[in-house]
Amino acid sequence: MDGKTFITNLKRELSKAVVGKEDVIELLAVALLTEGHVLLEGIPGVAKTTVAKAFASATGLTFSRIQFTPDLLPADIIGVRYYDQKVKDWVVKKGPIFANVVLADEINRAQPKTQSALLEAMQERQVTIEGETHQLPRPFLVIATMNPLEQEGVYPLPEAQIDRFMLKVEMGYPSREEELALLRRKSTNDFGDVRPVVGRDELFGLMDGVRNVRVSDEVIEYIYALISATRSDERLLFGASPRAGEHLLYAAKASAFLDGRDYVIPDDVKAMAVPVLAHRLLLRVDYELEGLRPRDVLLDILKRTPVPV
């Protein structure tokens, strides 16, 4: 199976449970094939959880949902080591982090020490329980959700954690046609079970295919030019990190692969620039008060940066 067939089959299967959201599905596929993580931002009721759960089902992966709350502890996520009276020995009870697709629901509701429990898992694909290291299953994808409206009872994500999310996807209201279709399907219960469209071995083959996508020196220099421009723009307090450049490279390769190509073109980089970079940029206060957003600065940088032919 090639990348174009995979994304076509994935969208078709997910349409059994989700109306629209094709752009979100594509970005989730990009993250999965490059072993990245996704931050989903949207108000309650726009199907963030539904999309995540259906995506795991369509890719044949195990799924777990962690509801983040102020009283959630790190051990509630990664697990604990305890003495089992039956076997007369210490055993490890693994937490919900041990799944292929982990939905961290309302991640900013948990305390910073609990949020930090995800850092090792997201970066190293492992967790440490009572000094003992445990590998997480592959592939491993964290999909974290946030409600942008609530300001009370939430804890801002540290910059170190935000930078570990490969993509940030904003889920807004559906279009008129999509919402009407949703209501009609709800009225007749016209939703089906989502079945896997790819096997585990085949999925690893797709991931290998992304790694083999070729990138020319001109495109690599274009990626660097975009990253460098964010660091020198006077409107930004600080720009994108080297990790951001790596993530943009990987996302562009996945975009090309899903489009049926084995080489990256500048349009792949431009298509991935906003979801990969915008959430990593911090505006200066005076520009923020003017209503400017990091996304606006990034779009301006994309317009001003010469595109290789």
Side-chain angles (χ1 to χ4, degrees):
M1 183 189 299
D2 60 12
K4 200 164 189 176
T5 303
F6 168 67
I7 194 64
T8 300
N9 293 345
L10 187 63
K11 289 179 180 178
R12 184 187 302 117
E13 190 64 24
L14 283 172
S15 67
K16 295 179 179 179
V18 179
V19 177
K21 312 295 185 189
E22 291 196 357
D23 55 337
V24 177
I25 294 168
E26 286 187 17
L27 291 173
L28 288 177
V30 165
L32 176 64
L33 295 181
T34 54
E35 298 193 83
H37 306 290
V38 180
L39 188 60
L40 276 183
E41 186 176 81
I43 62 170
V46 292
K48 299 187 294 295
T49 301
T50 302
V51 169
K53 190 172 184 179
F55 181 81
S57 297
T59 50
L61 300 174
T62 58
F63 174 82
S64 71
R65 176 177 179 267
I66 306 172
Q67 183 64 53
F68 277 63
T69 56
D71 61 347
L72 191 72
L73 299 174
D76 297 326
I77 296 174
I78 65 175
V80 294
R81 188 168 180 260
Y82 68 99
Y83 189 79
D84 191 332
Q85 294 287 354
K86 293 182 179 179
V87 298
K88 305 296 183 184
D89 199 2
W90 290 91
V91 296
V92 171
K93 181 181 179 182
K94 293 181 177 180
I97 195 72
F98 287 88
N100 295 122
V101 179
V102 177
L103 176 64
D105 215 354
E106 296 184 292
I107 187 175
N108 55 334
R109 282 192 173 277
Q111 300 178 50
K113 69 176 182 179
T114 303
Q115 294 177 11
S116 65
L118 284 177
L119 288 179
E120 182 185 12
M122 293 171 64
Q123 186 65 24
E124 306 295 336
R125 267 70 179 179
Q126 65 182 31
V127 296
T128 303
I129 303 173
E130 298 290 336
E132 186 178 330
T133 300
H134 300 267
Q135 297 295 322
L136 294 169
R138 285 195 65 208
F140 177 68
L141 169 66
V142 172
I143 303 175
T145 70
M146 285 178 56
N147 178 357
L149 301 180
E150 293 182 333
Q151 302 298 324
E152 295 184 3
V154 297
Y155 300 85
L157 296 183
E159 296 300 329
Q161 188 163 342
I162 289 178
D163 196 49
R164 280 170 169 79
F165 284 102
M166 181 181 201
L167 304 166
K168 181 181 178 183
V169 184
E170 296 182 3
M171 289 183 63
Y173 292 114
S175 66
R176 178 181 182 274
E177 292 74 17
E178 288 174 346
E179 193 155 7
L180 286 172
L182 173 64
L183 292 171
R184 291 188 182 105
R185 290 180 64 178
K186 286 287 185 181
S187 69
T188 59
N189 195 27
D190 183 24
F191 290 91
D193 294 332
V194 176
R195 306 290 183 185
V197 299
V198 62
R200 185 172 295 269
D201 291 341
E202 204 167 20
L203 181 58
F204 283 123
L206 293 171
M207 294 165 71
D208 288 338
V210 172
R211 283 190 283 268
N212 292 330
V213 170
R214 293 178 285 110
V215 188
S216 67
D217 285 341
E218 290 80 8
V219 171
I220 289 177
E221 289 178 6
Y222 179 54
I223 291 173
Y224 174 75
L226 293 175
I227 298 297
S228 179
T230 67
R231 298 170 184 168
S232 59
D233 196 294
E234 64 173 11
R235 295 165 292 184
L236 298 174
L237 194 60
F238 61 83
S241 67
R243 183 190 287 123
E246 294 175 26
H247 284 176
L248 183 55
L249 172 66
Y250 301 151
K253 292 177 71 169
S255 176
F257 183 73
L258 294 176
D259 198 40
R261 286 178 281 108
D262 63 353
Y263 57 92
V264 174
I265 60 176
D267 282 349
D268 297 317
V269 178
K270 293 171 73 174
M272 292 293 112
V274 170
V276 171
L277 299 180
H279 64 290
R280 307 169 192 261
L281 308 179
L282 190 62
L283 282 172
R284 295 187 181 275
V285 176
D286 46 345
Y287 289 102
E288 191 173 2
L289 292 175
E290 292 177 5
L292 200 67
R293 299 181 304 165
R295 177 191 181 97
D296 302 324
V297 176
L298 188 54
L299 290 174
D300 183 49
I301 289 174
L302 283 168
K303 288 180 181 177
R304 292 189 285 106
T305 305
V307 181
V309 178

